[in-house]
Amino acid sequence: MNHKLFAIGLVVSTGTMLAQQPTMHTESALTLGKGKVQAGLAVEYLRKNSPTLPDFPQSVLRMFVMGWHHGVAENVNFDLDWLGGLTASFPNGSRGFDWGDLSVSTKITFLRESDDFPAIGIRTSVKLPNSSYAENRLGSNKTDFHSYLLLSKHFFDDIETRLNLRFSIVGDPQDVGVQDDVFGFNAALVAPIAAETRVFFELVAFSGY
């Protein structure tokens, strides 16, 4: 069984269009509110510092990463997140291209935040198998299912803490009918440093994949 732990810190700018939305993994338990939309467009570059197998990418450039989050009710979000166009670079210098996976999610807030209790919600997500595994190892050709328990609480009015507990069923791209059960948690602290700018620190951990 594998165990993974990541710590991330980043400064992001806020506004109606959130281009950084795909960057942060830890969700708030709060929804947008009925009729409100949060949209983002981003470019992401990922690179492995350690050597990789010849048929696996050393780096991946994601172009036109998109997110569309819509408040369909006061306490319900319907979310679409797409990884865009993927360009892979391999250790031998060759390149490959594929279209990224699309994730379809629903978030529901069950308990609003109060002075004594955090906001509590759930999020369920399905990742569709749009990316191929066989050609460039950019996807799994499998449908994955994710469920989250979400908690969030504000301190001093504008400092937000978030905690997500996650269970995922992830398909194995190398074996038909085989799945991995993944357990994990995300924790984050989000704080403003200017009128339209926030800084966040994030911890992401999972086990079983």
Side-chain angles (χ1 to χ4, degrees):
M1 180 177 288
N2 294 326
H3 304 272
K4 302 291 184 181
L5 180 67
F6 304 94
I8 306 169
L10 190 66
V11 178
V12 296
S13 178
T14 63
T16 305
M17 298 295 289
L18 295 180
Q20 86 289 347
Q21 185 63 31
T23 302
M24 195 170 185
H25 298 275
T26 309
E27 287 273 343
S28 171
L30 299 177
T31 51
L32 296 173
K34 185 176 181 179
K36 295 183 179 179
V37 172
Q38 185 184 72
L41 179 66
V43 175
E44 298 178 353
Y45 178 73
L46 310 174
R47 180 176 178 82
K48 294 181 179 178
N49 290 325
S50 57
T52 186
L53 296 175
D55 56 343
F56 280 82
Q58 187 72 41
S59 65
V60 176
L61 176 65
R62 298 174 177 171
M63 298 290 292
F64 307 111
V65 178
M66 298 181 184
W68 179 271
H69 298 183
H70 184 196
V72 295
E74 196 60 36
N75 67 326
V76 180
N77 277 9
F78 176 75
D79 302 338
L80 297 174
D81 294 285
W82 182 52
L83 291 181
L86 312 178
T87 301
S89 298
F90 295 87
N92 62 5
S94 64
R95 293 180 180 271
F97 179 85
D98 203 350
W99 296 108
D101 293 322
L102 174 69
S103 294
V104 182
S105 310
T106 301
K107 180 163 70 170
I108 303 174
T109 300
F110 288 107
L111 181 66
R112 291 287 176 179
E113 181 179 339
S114 65
D115 291 339
D116 299 321
F117 294 98
I120 300 175
I122 62 169
R123 188 173 194 255
T124 58
S125 180
V126 177
K127 188 221 72 177
L128 304 178
N130 305 110
S131 303
S132 170
Y133 176 80
E135 192 168 345
N136 294 308
R137 304 295 193 265
L138 288 172
S140 65
N141 285 120
K142 302 289 183 179
T143 301
D144 299 336
F145 302 90
H146 307 277
S147 57
Y148 304 81
L149 174 65
L150 313 174
L151 297 95
S152 59
K153 185 80 170 70
H154 286 81
F155 296 92
F156 308 108
D157 294 330
D158 50 9
I159 297 177
E160 183 185 12
T161 56
R162 302 178 181 179
L163 176 66
N164 298 172
L165 304 178
R166 172 167 62 99
F167 172 69
S168 302
I169 300 174
V170 179
D172 191 322
Q174 297 179 324
D175 294 305
V176 177
V178 176
Q179 69 182 39
D180 293 299
D181 297 332
V182 181
F183 300 88
F185 78 89
N186 307 340
L189 175 71
V190 185
I193 58 175
E196 296 293 332
T197 305
R198 297 177 298 168
V199 60
F200 77 81
F201 298 92
E202 184 173 45
L203 184 69
V204 179
F206 60 89
S207 176
Y209 177 67

